[in-house]
Amino acid sequence: MGRLARRIRAHWRKRHRKREALRTSREFFKRQHTLRRWRLPKQNSSDITPFTGAPSSRTTPAPPKHGLLDSLLPSRKTTDARSTHTGTARRGALTVEASAPGASTHQPRLLDARTYENLRDFIDAKVLSSPARTAISTFLLVIVFFTLMLLLPIASNDGQMAPLHHAFFTATSAVTVTGLTTVSTAEQWSMFGQVIILCACQIGGLGTLTLTSLLALATGRKMGLRSKLIAQEELNIGRLGEVGSVVRTVAYTSASIEAFIALLLTPRFLMLGEDPLTSLWHGIFYAISAFNNAGFTPHSDGIVPYGHDFFVIIPVCIAVFLGAMGFPVLMALQQHPLKPSRWTLTAKLTLVTTSVLFVLGAAAWGAAEWNNPSTVGGNNPGDKILSALFASVMTRSGGFNLVDMNDIRPVTSLITDVLMFIGGGSASTAGGIKVTTIAVIMLAIMAEARGDQFVVAFNRTIPDTVLRIAISVTMMSAGIVIAGSGVILMLTDQPLSRVLFEVISAYATCGLSNGLSAELSPAGIYTLSALMFIGRIGTITAATALALRSRRRLYKFPEERPIIG
């Protein structure tokens, strides 16, 4: 058996080397043909005319765009510019701007066609070879930038530089759209600092949606034709070169929803006695923070003063709910609003699971806190129901709270931990392991209990690879939460329930807090910052990395069933 396996491997290695050599030679000749085709034609001296102060109209048509760099670098249109002093034309440059008469004739050498091709291919290869590395690097750079902005004295109310751990924690919380804070947003940060935080939330939320879509598309490039078509239909995009269209679509959807929520909130704040500019600022702040599931508030006491106001609570809930749905679900609802049969499996699983969790979470939270005098026990039944519905939405990623988390009962804390760990929809601004992950695991459990051979949902068979990824993401997330809780327990003397609540909120990027973040030492603050970063990046990159690392074996070992349970 071993000799046969070695012979099979040697045979397929030889075939693989031949195919690689053939593919390399084809790409080489194709590249040479492209360069020869688009190389600038040589000009005769008789074709050169004196410089007239404007670029010549003779241009070379640009080839079709492809790759990531085409949206960043100038097109390949070439223009012949003449020099008034020498009467010679500059050739071989991508773009040459005309200089004014009398200006210096010395100009920096621009990118030629070959350099442009090499640079574009290099960036494309780096991005496609490791999407996870690209995601991590991008988020780190954004966090560092906003940390430096918050360290400016103008960002603080007292005009002094904020401590590094507070600025870094706030920037990380904003970029990862978590909402945890070590200092009060309204008391510590000035208007400039609050604008920086709001911009970080917007960029973090928009970047998360776009990044998730691009990583899913990069996963599709590693699959077969059928899997590529499924990924294309799922995200409504064609290929990785269409980065600009993806960004525009996500940005347009986000801006539309945020503008709608701001239009609902601004008049209400104006009716409550705020001046027009303050009302507009609070409306925009809550709209962006709610849709991106950030949980930041411009008030020192949060959203608690508006706990009995339906015209504030309901728009905030709608924004958080839509932001937690995810880009694929919103696109499916936009394209086929009244045709559920044409929705994707991701959209169906997300909507059904989210609805079930919303109802069960509200019922469980309301039943546990109905008679609690420290939270909602003294309110009327209508306010109790509103608080339960609000808590059910916010515990899965929103981060806003109407009651003090230290006053809830232990069973309510357990319910909140579970809902925070599950999170929202895939490719959304919500965190957690995502509702589709828990849906796939529950469907697998139900299929095993019924004795079914395959996992089926909405007349679609879920592949075994998807189930393995769901289990891997869940177990890795649980391991990270356990490890983070252990580190925080070593740095503080707080009880396990309080530490576990804060750690899950940080990793799931939920933002609900019992005040532990503000009580930790700088080491504990940096630990929570790392958990927020891993929680925002980890589940996405882990799922993508597992999908990209799939390999095919040419042989199979004998099966043996171990004893389970």
Side-chain angles (χ1 to χ4, degrees), residues 375-399:
T375 54
V376 297
N379 298 341
N380 57 64
D383 290 338
K384 291 180 180 180
I385 295 175
L386 178 63
S387 299
L389 295 175
F390 185 85
S392 180
V393 174
M394 299 304 161
T395 50
R396 288 191 303 106
S397 188

Side-chain angles (χ1 to χ4, degrees), residues 402-481:
L402 296 178
V403 298
D404 191 347
M405 293 293 105
N406 291 310
D407 296 334
I408 61 176
R409 292 174 175 172
V411 63
T412 310
S413 179
L414 178 61
I415 295 171
T416 305
D417 290 343
V418 173
L419 292 177
M420 288 192 301
F421 186 76
I422 294 175
S426 300
S428 70
T429 57
I433 62 173
K434 303 300 188 294
V435 294
T436 49
T437 303
I438 198 67
V440 169
I441 294 177
M442 295 304 298
L443 288 172
I445 294 174
M446 294 171 59
E448 187 66 26
R450 291 193 301 261
D452 296 338
Q453 186 178 1
F454 303 103
V455 180
V456 180
F458 299 101
N459 298 326
R460 294 292 186 271
T461 301
I462 299 177
D464 294 338
T465 54
V466 175
L467 177 59
R468 294 205 309 265
I469 293 175
I471 295 175
S472 301
V473 170
T474 303
M475 296 306 298
M476 285 189 296
S477 300
I480 293 173
V481 168

Side-chain angles (χ1 to χ4, degrees), residues 143-391:
I143 290 174
V144 170
F145 171 77
F146 282 106
T147 300
L148 296 177
M149 296 298 293
L150 290 177
L151 285 175
L152 297 176
I154 193 177
S156 300
N157 277 326
D158 55 5
Q160 299 180 0
M161 181 181 296
L164 177 60
H165 55 279
H166 290 320
F168 181 77
F169 187 89
T170 304
T172 304
S173 180
V175 173
T176 59
V177 289
T178 302
L180 289 177
T181 57
T182 55
V183 292
S184 175
T185 303
E187 297 176 359
Q188 170 65 32
W189 307 111
S190 63
M191 177 59 68
F192 176 81
Q194 294 181 23
V195 171
I196 292 299
I197 293 174
L198 193 63
C199 292
C201 294
Q202 182 66 73
I203 294 176
L206 180 63
T208 302
L209 289 169
T210 306
L211 182 62
T212 307
S213 302
L214 294 179
L215 290 179
L217 184 60
T219 304
R221 291 175 65 94
K222 296 293 183 179
M223 299 179 181
L225 178 60
R226 182 173 300 179
S227 300
K228 289 181 181 180
L229 294 176
I230 294 174
Q232 180 183 10
E233 180 182 359
E234 182 75 16
L235 297 174
N236 194 30
I237 46 181
R239 58 183 185 275
L240 195 59
E242 299 178 353
V243 179
S245 61
V246 174
V247 173
R248 285 191 297 269
T249 302
V250 177
Y252 173 77
T253 304
S254 303
S256 301
I257 296 176
E258 291 168 358
F260 175 73
I261 299 300
L263 289 177
L264 294 179
L265 292 175
T266 300
R268 185 56 183 172
F269 288 132
L270 191 61
M271 295 173 60
L272 293 176
E274 297 182 355
D275 58 87
L277 291 180
T278 304
S279 301
L280 180 61
W281 167 245
H282 288 168
I284 295 175
F285 196 103
Y286 276 109
I288 295 178
S289 180
F291 177 74
N292 292 287
N293 287 206
F296 283 92
T297 62
H299 297 97
S300 58
D301 48 0
I303 203 172
V304 175
Y306 309 101
H308 305 284
D309 195 334
F310 284 83
F311 297 98
V312 175
I313 298 301
I314 298 301
V316 171
C317 285
I318 293 175
V320 172
F321 191 84
L322 292 177
M325 283 291 98
F327 173 64
V329 178
L330 295 179
M331 292 302 298
L333 294 177
Q334 181 182 358
Q335 294 175 354
H336 312 289
L338 302 178
K339 296 180 180 180
S341 60
R342 303 190 64 179
W343 294 349
T344 61
L345 181 59
T346 299
K348 295 177 182 178
L349 288 177
T350 301
L351 290 173
V352 172
T353 309
T354 300
S355 301
V356 171
L357 291 176
F358 172 70
V359 174
L360 293 181
W365 197 96
E369 296 295 322
W370 191 268
N371 296 321
N372 186 359
S374 300
T375 54
V376 297
N379 298 341
N380 57 64
D383 290 338
K384 291 180 180 180
I385 295 175
L386 178 63
S387 299
L389 295 175
F390 185 85

